[in-house]
Amino acid sequence: MNFKEEVERSFHEAILGHQLRVRTVDQSEVLLVGKRFALSISHGRDGVEIGYVEVVGDGKYSFLSITRFLGVLRFLPEDRALFGAPGGTVDEQIRASLRVISSGVTNRCSDILEGEKSWLDSLRKKDPAAYKGEALSVPLLAAMSSINW
């Protein structure tokens, strides 16, 4: 499976509607790049994850995993229902997860896709320990550094 193509297909509406650029980090991670932020879509043994990468200064970035936040506070049952009953292959599981995440992000997170940050501030105030920034991986840092902001 070509993960970048799957992400582009799944997030097509959000990419066009919010003029996001798509960048490959590696075979298992893709960025949807907006103005001064990027959404990291990745897959691994724990499934598909979504992260928010904020530009906080010249060459400085903050990464925040938002998979749980979105799944609990933003996505609705109709988004989760899109997971369906995928077959047993890893590719089918990834596609099912992408259906859920793309539906939830596209339909319930226009503020995030537009670069609005008030959701981020309120999230950090609500539970600062749970939502502190994380270190960027070397490939992610290289990809972010190569973007012409």
Side-chain angles (χ1 to χ4, degrees):
M1 169 183 22
N2 182 320
F3 188 63
K4 179 183 179 193
E5 289 177 5
E6 293 295 332
V7 169
E8 287 175 320
R9 189 174 10 264
S10 296
F11 286 88
H12 180 75
E13 187 178 322
I15 291 167
L16 290 179
H18 297 278
Q19 300 175 340
L20 303 173
R21 296 174 284 159
V22 180
R23 298 291 293 253
T24 300
V25 174
D26 57 32
Q27 292 177 336
S28 64
E29 186 171 14
V30 173
L31 296 175
L32 302 181
V33 180
K35 296 176 184 166
R36 312 275 306 157
F37 78 94
L39 293 179
S40 163
I41 315 293
S42 62
H43 72 86
R45 67 171 199 250
D46 294 331
V48 176
E49 299 284 328
I50 185 164
Y52 182 82
V53 187
E54 178 182 20
V55 179
V56 293
D58 191 28
K60 296 180 182 174
Y61 312 97
S62 174
F63 178 85
L64 184 66
S65 175
I66 59 173
T67 306
R68 184 170 169 250
F69 160 71
L70 294 178
V72 172
L73 298 177
R74 291 284 185 104
F75 295 179
L76 298 179
E78 52 262 33
D79 300 317
R80 292 183 202 85
L82 293 172
F83 190 80
T89 71
V90 172
D91 288 355
E92 290 168 334
Q93 296 287 327
I94 290 169
R95 285 185 188 103
S97 292
L98 283 173
R99 281 194 301 271
V100 172
I101 292 171
S102 65
S103 173
V105 168
T106 302
N107 296 314
R108 326 251 175 261
C109 300
S110 62
D111 57 336
I112 296 172
L113 294 171
E114 292 169 3
E116 168 63 43
K117 296 200 180 172
S118 61
W119 68 274
L120 187 57
D121 295 335
S122 64
L123 181 63
R124 286 180 175 148
K125 285 177 188 171
K126 183 181 288 187
D127 191 355
Y131 295 103
K132 62 181 188 291
E134 301 171 28
L136 274 66
S137 67
V138 172
L140 179 55
L141 181 58
M144 291 295 292
S145 298
S146 71
I147 295 170
N148 182 13
W149 297 101

